[in-house]
Amino acid sequence: MFSTVWRGFLKCLGLSLFFVVSGCVTGNLSSPEHLEAAMNKARINVPDDSGAGWSCSGYYEMFKEFDCASQFTKKVPVVIHAHGCKGFNHSDETAMDVYKEMGYAVIAPNSFALGRSDSCYQGNMARTAEIDHALRFALSQDWVDTSTIVVSGFSEGGLNAAIYDSPLLAAKIVMGYGCHRGGNMSVKTLNIVGLADAVVGNEVCLGAAKIFRSDSGHHVFVDPESAEVIRAFLRAL
């Protein structure tokens, strides 16, 4: 047991200061290897009126294989979405469906592409690197309306969306997280938290442009009004 404890301790020490502050997680989440894998296994959703075929919604590997970037007939706005601490769940899937319905393409990096362990309850702030990598990708694409890029996140992804900052964003949508570990509201932000959230509590992101307290626990889409609030927020951008 002694050697096991020390191995875990030394593993944490081997990470950079940033990752120690954020909580010990498996692997360097800003390494080129991790970021490339997270992007290759990213979920991609494209709106139906984009001109891109149905096969372009799925994983980024498929998006590349079918040369989907050349299929767009117009520029489309984009949401970069960060999933929860255990990967894509119902809340992430619902949010991405709403974004697609509203005419946004969705780019959602897969933080578990290399099989790391989860970092639930550790306050993992290291995934801003994944968001930044996806933003750089979006900015390089001719099919992206770079004037309307939104960063979104749920739970641990909401934490990373909240603290991420870039002057190139049109807005942020932070769900299942109330900025109790910090947040940057320098761009227009929608914050959705559950009134009965037993996971992170029901604090809110003070300074957010719009705050909605859903009649739910941690998974805010239990209250269908959450989706309606998101739709109204995106229409107003």
Side-chain angles (χ1 to χ4, degrees):
M1 179 179 290
F2 179 83
S3 61
T4 300
V5 171
W6 273 101
R7 278 199 298 270
F9 177 69
L10 292 172
K11 186 176 183 180
C12 276
L13 285 181
L15 298 175
S16 69
L17 178 61
F18 180 82
F19 293 108
V20 173
V21 171
S22 301
C24 183
V25 297
T26 300
N28 184 337
L29 302 190
S30 63
S31 72
E33 295 78 13
H34 173 80
L35 295 177
E36 181 180 3
M39 189 63 210
N40 280 333
K41 295 294 185 182
R43 299 280 189 91
I44 302 285
N45 272 356
V46 299
D48 294 337
D49 63 351
S50 65
W54 65 267
S55 59
C56 294
S57 286
Y59 292 98
Y60 178 57
E61 288 176 322
M62 294 171 54
F63 188 92
K64 290 191 295 185
E65 180 180 346
F66 291 106
D67 192 23
C68 292
S70 68
Q71 298 181 29
F72 285 79
T73 56
K74 65 177 185 179
K75 292 183 180 291
V76 299
V78 164
V79 175
I80 296 167
H81 180 76
H83 61 64
C85 70
K86 289 183 178 292
F88 295 99
N89 58 46
H90 179 264
S91 294
D92 297 299
E93 301 284 357
T94 302
M96 292 189 290
D97 285 345
V98 171
Y99 301 148
K100 178 180 176 180
E101 169 201 322
M102 293 299 296
Y104 283 71
V106 182
I107 303 170
N110 184 348
S111 190
F112 293 94
L114 292 182
R116 72 174 179 85
S117 60
D118 73 60
S119 50
C120 295
Y121 310 108
Q122 295 182 35
N124 175 20
M125 302 179 191
R127 291 176 54 205
T128 52
E130 298 166 4
I131 295 173
D132 195 64
H133 188 70
L135 175 60
R136 292 173 186 272
F137 166 77
L139 292 171
S140 73
Q141 300 298 297
D142 291 337
W143 54 270
V144 173
D145 176 0
T146 56
S147 70
T148 313
I149 297 178
V150 176
V151 162
S152 158
F154 171 72
S155 193
E156 182 183 274
L159 160 62
N160 283 269
I163 65 173
Y164 183 73
D165 183 35
S166 170
L168 302 174
L169 300 182
K172 296 196 290 189
I173 299 174
V174 176
M175 300 167 286
Y177 170 72
C179 290
H180 55 286
R181 291 183 182 271
N184 188 313
M185 304 293 108
S186 60
V187 299
K188 186 176 183 180
T189 301
L190 167 62
N191 182 213
I192 303 179
V193 295
L195 286 169
D197 192 332
V199 177
V200 298
N202 59 8
E203 293 182 41
V204 296
C205 293
L206 298 177
K210 172 69 176 179
I211 295 171
F212 178 67
R213 294 173 171 86
S214 68
D215 185 16
S216 71
H218 190 51
H219 291 278
V220 297
F221 291 105
V222 168
D223 181 354
E225 188 64 21
S226 295
E228 290 302 318
V229 169
I230 290 174
R231 293 183 182 103
F233 181 78
L234 292 177
R235 287 191 198 102
L237 292 182

